[in-house]
Amino acid sequence: LQISRLELIKNDGSYYDWSTTTATTNPPLNQTNGEIPSNMLDHSLIKIWLEYKHALEFYFDVGESNTFSVDDISSWQWWTANDTASYPGRNPKSFKLQFSIDGTNYITVDEVTNYSAPA
């Protein structure tokens, strides 16, 4: 799995400002060459997250001081890395975007199946 950027877009059209203290994890974490999950949150397409074990889940914990309401988010976007045409298997085929207040109970706000990333 390879992703370079993940954005939540607020109702006013601006990006949600990911806190530098946002905890990012995906069990089991198998990062390579500094290509870690937090690279997705830097509003840049330069740094990427590459997961060789094809993570099934990853989590972002914004912390209590950076919470937001799902009602404040109008949409979301994500970008694959720069080699989609060469390595299409690194792109997710199906995925869900879910939110939770307590880390146990989640609501699904978007779900995609049979996704084909543009090359």
Side-chain angles (χ1 to χ4, degrees):
L1 180 63
Q2 190 171 18
I3 299 176
S4 64
R5 186 171 167 187
L6 175 70
E7 298 288 0
L8 301 178
I9 297 133
K10 299 190 306 187
N11 292 331
D12 66 5
S14 65
Y15 292 131
Y16 172 74
D17 189 23
W18 298 99
S19 168
T20 57
T21 59
T22 299
T24 56
T25 59
N26 70 301
L29 185 60
N30 296 289
Q31 57 199 18
T32 304
N33 300 324
E35 296 174 339
I36 57 178
S38 60
N39 287 348
M40 288 189 288
L41 309 181
D42 65 0
H43 305 296
S44 166
L45 295 174
I46 305 289
K47 295 185 289 181
I48 65 168
W49 170 45
L50 176 60
E51 169 56 65
Y52 280 115
K53 296 292 183 181
H54 304 287
L56 299 177
E57 300 174 342
F58 52 92
Y59 303 90
F60 303 100
D61 185 347
V62 298
E64 289 185 29
S65 62
N66 297 301
T67 60
F68 57 87
S69 169
V70 174
D71 294 333
D72 296 337
I73 305 299
S74 63
S75 61
W76 69 293
Q77 299 172 324
W78 65 276
W79 290 255
T80 61
N82 61 354
D83 57 2
T84 295
S86 300
Y87 300 100
R90 293 182 181 175
N91 297 316
K93 301 293 183 222
S94 299
F95 48 91
K96 295 179 189 178
L97 178 64
Q98 298 179 313
F99 291 105
S100 175
I101 294 173
D102 59 13
T104 300
N105 300 297
Y106 290 84
I107 59 165
T108 299
V109 295
D110 195 12
E111 184 172 6
V112 176
T113 58
N114 298 318
Y115 178 75
S116 178

PDB file of all heavy atoms in Angstrom, residues 56-73:
ATOM      1  N   LEU A  56      -4.253  -3.658   6.558  1.00  0.00           N
ATOM      2  CA  LEU A  56      -5.698  -3.692   6.408  1.00  0.00           C
ATOM      3  C   LEU A  56      -6.348  -2.511   7.109  1.00  0.00           C
ATOM      4  O   LEU A  56      -7.460  -2.136   6.781  1.00  0.00           O
ATOM      5  CB  LEU A  56      -6.242  -5.007   6.976  1.00  0.00           C
ATOM      6  CG  LEU A  56      -5.718  -6.258   6.288  1.00  0.00           C
ATOM      7  CD1 LEU A  56      -6.266  -7.496   6.987  1.00  0.00           C
ATOM      8  CD2 LEU A  56      -6.090  -6.267   4.822  1.00  0.00           C
ATOM      9  N   GLU A  57      -5.666  -1.918   8.069  1.00  0.00           N
ATOM     10  CA  GLU A  57      -6.216  -0.790   8.819  1.00  0.00           C
ATOM     11  C   GLU A  57      -5.098   0.169   9.174  1.00  0.00           C
ATOM     12  O   GLU A  57      -3.959  -0.249   9.376  1.00  0.00           O
ATOM     13  CB  GLU A  57      -6.854  -1.274  10.124  1.00  0.00           C
ATOM     14  CG  GLU A  57      -7.970  -2.252   9.941  1.00  0.00           C
ATOM     15  CD  GLU A  57      -8.468  -2.798  11.266  1.00  0.00           C
ATOM     16  OE1 GLU A  57      -7.761  -2.697  12.284  1.00  0.00           O
ATOM     17  OE2 GLU A  57      -9.582  -3.328  11.277  1.00  0.00           O
ATOM     18  N   PHE A  58      -5.424   1.440   9.245  1.00  0.00           N
ATOM     19  CA  PHE A  58      -4.518   2.384   9.863  1.00  0.00           C
ATOM     20  C   PHE A  58      -5.348   3.418  10.589  1.00  0.00           C
ATOM     21  O   PHE A  58      -6.501   3.668  10.249  1.00  0.00           O
ATOM     22  CB  PHE A  58      -3.519   3.016   8.885  1.00  0.00           C
ATOM     23  CG  PHE A  58      -4.114   3.630   7.652  1.00  0.00           C
ATOM     24  CD1 PHE A  58      -4.452   4.964   7.621  1.00  0.00           C
ATOM     25  CD2 PHE A  58      -4.294   2.873   6.507  1.00  0.00           C
ATOM     26  CE1 PHE A  58      -4.980   5.533   6.482  1.00  0.00           C
ATOM     27  CE2 PHE A  58      -4.820   3.440   5.352  1.00  0.00           C
ATOM     28  CZ  PHE A  58      -5.159   4.769   5.348  1.00  0.00           C
ATOM     29  N   TYR A  59      -4.752   3.991  11.634  1.00  0.00           N
ATOM     30  CA  TYR A  59      -5.488   4.852  12.553  1.00  0.00           C
ATOM     31  C   TYR A  59      -4.789   6.188  12.717  1.00  0.00           C
ATOM     32  O   TYR A  59      -3.565   6.258  12.724  1.00  0.00           O
ATOM     33  CB  TYR A  59      -5.574   4.191  13.944  1.00  0.00           C
ATOM     34  CG  TYR A  59      -6.200   2.834  13.930  1.00  0.00           C
ATOM     35  CD1 TYR A  59      -5.429   1.691  13.761  1.00  0.00           C
ATOM     36  CD2 TYR A  59      -7.577   2.694  14.080  1.00  0.00           C
ATOM     37  CE1 TYR A  59      -6.012   0.435  13.743  1.00  0.00           C
ATOM     38  CE2 TYR A  59      -8.163   1.437  14.061  1.00  0.00           C
ATOM     39  CZ  TYR A  59      -7.374   0.312  13.895  1.00  0.00           C
ATOM     40  OH  TYR A  59      -7.949  -0.922  13.871  1.00  0.00           O
ATOM     41  N   PHE A  60      -5.599   7.227  12.870  1.00  0.00           N
ATOM     42  CA  PHE A  60      -5.098   8.557  13.191  1.00  0.00           C
ATOM     43  C   PHE A  60      -5.790   9.009  14.457  1.00  0.00           C
ATOM     44  O   PHE A  60      -7.014   9.043  14.513  1.00  0.00           O
ATOM     45  CB  PHE A  60      -5.415   9.560  12.076  1.00  0.00           C
ATOM     46  CG  PHE A  60      -4.870   9.143  10.742  1.00  0.00           C
ATOM     47  CD1 PHE A  60      -5.681   8.554   9.805  1.00  0.00           C
ATOM     48  CD2 PHE A  60      -3.547   9.341  10.440  1.00  0.00           C
ATOM     49  CE1 PHE A  60      -5.189   8.158   8.574  1.00  0.00           C
ATOM     50  CE2 PHE A  60      -3.033   8.949   9.216  1.00  0.00           C
ATOM     51  CZ  PHE A  60      -3.857   8.355   8.277  1.00  0.00           C
ATOM     52  N   ASP A  61      -5.033   9.331  15.459  1.00  0.00           N
ATOM     53  CA  ASP A  61      -5.589   9.830  16.711  1.00  0.00           C
ATOM     54  C   ASP A  61      -5.186  11.295  16.823  1.00  0.00           C
ATOM     55  O   ASP A  61      -4.021  11.609  17.067  1.00  0.00           O
ATOM     56  CB  ASP A  61      -5.046   9.027  17.894  1.00  0.00           C
ATOM     57  CG  ASP A  61      -5.684   9.428  19.208  1.00  0.00           C
ATOM     58  OD1 ASP A  61      -6.350  10.481  19.266  1.00  0.00           O
ATOM     59  OD2 ASP A  61      -5.501   8.685  20.186  1.00  0.00           O
ATOM     60  N   VAL A  62      -6.150  12.186  16.616  1.00  0.00           N
ATOM     61  CA  VAL A  62      -5.843  13.615  16.630  1.00  0.00           C
ATOM     62  C   VAL A  62      -5.703  14.160  18.041  1.00  0.00           C
ATOM     63  O   VAL A  62      -5.245  15.282  18.222  1.00  0.00           O
ATOM     64  CB  VAL A  62      -6.892  14.445  15.846  1.00  0.00           C
ATOM     65  CG1 VAL A  62      -6.906  14.025  14.380  1.00  0.00           C
ATOM     66  CG2 VAL A  62      -8.274  14.315  16.459  1.00  0.00           C
ATOM     67  N   GLY A  63      -6.083  13.398  19.039  1.00  0.00           N
ATOM     68  CA  GLY A  63      -5.971  13.848  20.425  1.00  0.00           C
ATOM     69  C   GLY A  63      -7.162  14.699  20.824  1.00  0.00           C
ATOM     70  O   GLY A  63      -7.864  15.272  19.981  1.00  0.00           O
ATOM     71  N   GLU A  64      -7.388  14.788  22.112  1.00  0.00           N
ATOM     72  CA  GLU A  64      -8.567  15.498  22.618  1.00  0.00           C
ATOM     73  C   GLU A  64      -8.577  16.978  22.281  1.00  0.00           C
ATOM     74  O   GLU A  64      -9.637  17.570  22.100  1.00  0.00           O
ATOM     75  CB  GLU A  64      -8.676  15.307  24.129  1.00  0.00           C
ATOM     76  CG  GLU A  64      -9.081  13.901  24.506  1.00  0.00           C
ATOM     77  CD  GLU A  64      -9.298  13.752  25.994  1.00  0.00           C
ATOM     78  OE1 GLU A  64      -9.681  14.736  26.655  1.00  0.00           O
ATOM     79  OE2 GLU A  64      -9.079  12.638  26.491  1.00  0.00           O
ATOM     80  N   SER A  65      -7.422  17.612  22.170  1.00  0.00           N
ATOM     81  CA  SER A  65      -7.384  19.055  21.905  1.00  0.00           C
ATOM     82  C   SER A  65      -7.565  19.389  20.428  1.00  0.00           C
ATOM     83  O   SER A  65      -7.686  20.564  20.076  1.00  0.00           O
ATOM     84  CB  SER A  65      -6.072  19.652  22.419  1.00  0.00           C
ATOM     85  OG  SER A  65      -4.975  19.075  21.738  1.00  0.00           O
ATOM     86  N   ASN A  66      -7.607  18.400  19.544  1.00  0.00           N
ATOM     87  CA  ASN A  66      -7.729  18.642  18.105  1.00  0.00           C
ATOM     88  C   ASN A  66      -8.947  17.972  17.496  1.00  0.00           C
ATOM     89  O   ASN A  66      -8.997  17.749  16.296  1.00  0.00           O
ATOM     90  CB  ASN A  66      -6.474  18.142  17.391  1.00  0.00           C
ATOM     91  CG  ASN A  66      -5.251  18.878  17.822  1.00  0.00           C
ATOM     92  OD1 ASN A  66      -5.170  20.086  17.687  1.00  0.00           O
ATOM     93  ND2 ASN A  66      -4.295  18.167  18.389  1.00  0.00           N
ATOM     94  N   THR A  67      -9.921  17.627  18.304  1.00  0.00           N
ATOM     95  CA  THR A  67     -11.084  16.919  17.781  1.00  0.00           C
ATOM     96  C   THR A  67     -11.906  17.810  16.855  1.00  0.00           C
ATOM     97  O   THR A  67     -11.769  19.035  16.857  1.00  0.00           O
ATOM     98  CB  THR A  67     -11.975  16.397  18.923  1.00  0.00           C
ATOM     99  OG1 THR A  67     -12.410  17.498  19.700  1.00  0.00           O
ATOM    100  CG2 THR A  67     -11.234  15.402  19.780  1.00  0.00           C
ATOM    101  N   PHE A  68     -12.748  17.184  16.079  1.00  0.00           N
ATOM    102  CA  PHE A  68     -13.630  17.901  15.165  1.00  0.00           C
ATOM    103  C   PHE A  68     -14.913  17.099  15.032  1.00  0.00           C
ATOM    104  O   PHE A  68     -14.964  15.924  15.376  1.00  0.00           O
ATOM    105  CB  PHE A  68     -12.981  18.104  13.796  1.00  0.00           C
ATOM    106  CG  PHE A  68     -12.558  16.828  13.136  1.00  0.00           C
ATOM    107  CD1 PHE A  68     -13.433  16.105  12.346  1.00  0.00           C
ATOM    108  CD2 PHE A  68     -11.277  16.340  13.312  1.00  0.00           C
ATOM    109  CE1 PHE A  68     -13.052  14.923  11.748  1.00  0.00           C
ATOM    110  CE2 PHE A  68     -10.876  15.156  12.714  1.00  0.00           C
ATOM    111  CZ  PHE A  68     -11.766  14.452  11.925  1.00  0.00           C
ATOM    112  N   SER A  69     -15.920  17.729  14.511  1.00  0.00           N
ATOM    113  CA  SER A  69     -17.181  17.049  14.268  1.00  0.00           C
ATOM    114  C   SER A  69     -17.197  16.542  12.829  1.00  0.00           C
ATOM    115  O   SER A  69     -16.745  17.241  11.913  1.00  0.00           O
ATOM    116  CB  SER A  69     -18.345  18.019  14.491  1.00  0.00           C
ATOM    117  OG  SER A  69     -19.551  17.446  14.021  1.00  0.00           O
ATOM    118  N   VAL A  70     -17.729  15.364  12.628  1.00  0.00           N
ATOM    119  CA  VAL A  70     -17.891  14.841  11.270  1.00  0.00           C
ATOM    120  C   VAL A  70     -18.723  15.808  10.441  1.00  0.00           C
ATOM    121  O   VAL A  70     -18.512  15.959   9.240  1.00  0.00           O
ATOM    122  CB  VAL A  70     -18.537  13.435  11.306  1.00  0.00           C
ATOM    123  CG1 VAL A  70     -18.853  12.940   9.914  1.00  0.00           C
ATOM    124  CG2 VAL A  70     -17.629  12.461  12.019  1.00  0.00           C
ATOM    125  N   ASP A  71     -19.646  16.520  11.078  1.00  0.00           N
ATOM    126  CA  ASP A  71     -20.486  17.489  10.365  1.00  0.00           C
ATOM    127  C   ASP A  71     -19.678  18.653   9.806  1.00  0.00           C
ATOM    128  O   ASP A  71     -20.151  19.366   8.924  1.00  0.00           O
ATOM    129  CB  ASP A  71     -21.577  18.020  11.294  1.00  0.00           C
ATOM    130  CG  ASP A  71     -22.571  16.939  11.700  1.00  0.00           C
ATOM    131  OD1 ASP A  71     -22.755  15.971  10.938  1.00  0.00           O
ATOM    132  OD2 ASP A  71     -23.154  17.073  12.794  1.00  0.00           O
ATOM    133  N   ASP A  72     -18.453  18.864  10.308  1.00  0.00           N
ATOM    134  CA  ASP A  72     -17.589  19.946   9.828  1.00  0.00           C
ATOM    135  C   ASP A  72     -16.802  19.549   8.583  1.00  0.00           C
ATOM    136  O   ASP A  72     -16.128  20.374   7.984  1.00  0.00           O
ATOM    137  CB  ASP A  72     -16.601  20.372  10.915  1.00  0.00           C
ATOM    138  CG  ASP A  72     -17.299  20.966  12.121  1.00  0.00           C
ATOM    139  OD1 ASP A  72     -18.438  21.458  11.980  1.00  0.00           O
ATOM    140  OD2 ASP A  72     -16.697  20.931  13.217  1.00  0.00           O
ATOM    141  N   ILE A  73     -16.867  18.270   8.203  1.00  0.00           N
ATOM    142  CA  ILE A  73     -16.100  17.752   7.067  1.00  0.00           C
ATOM    143  C   ILE A  73     -17.061  17.495   5.909  1.00  0.00           C
ATOM    144  O   ILE A  73     -18.039  16.772   6.045  1.00  0.00           O
ATOM    145  CB  ILE A  73     -15.365  16.448   7.440  1.00  0.00           C
ATOM    146  CG1 ILE A  73     -14.481  16.640   8.672  1.00  0.00           C
ATOM    147  CG2 ILE A  73     -14.568  15.909   6.263  1.00  0.00           C
ATOM    148  CD1 ILE A  73     -13.390  17.662   8.518  1.00  0.00           C
TER     149      ILE A  73
END
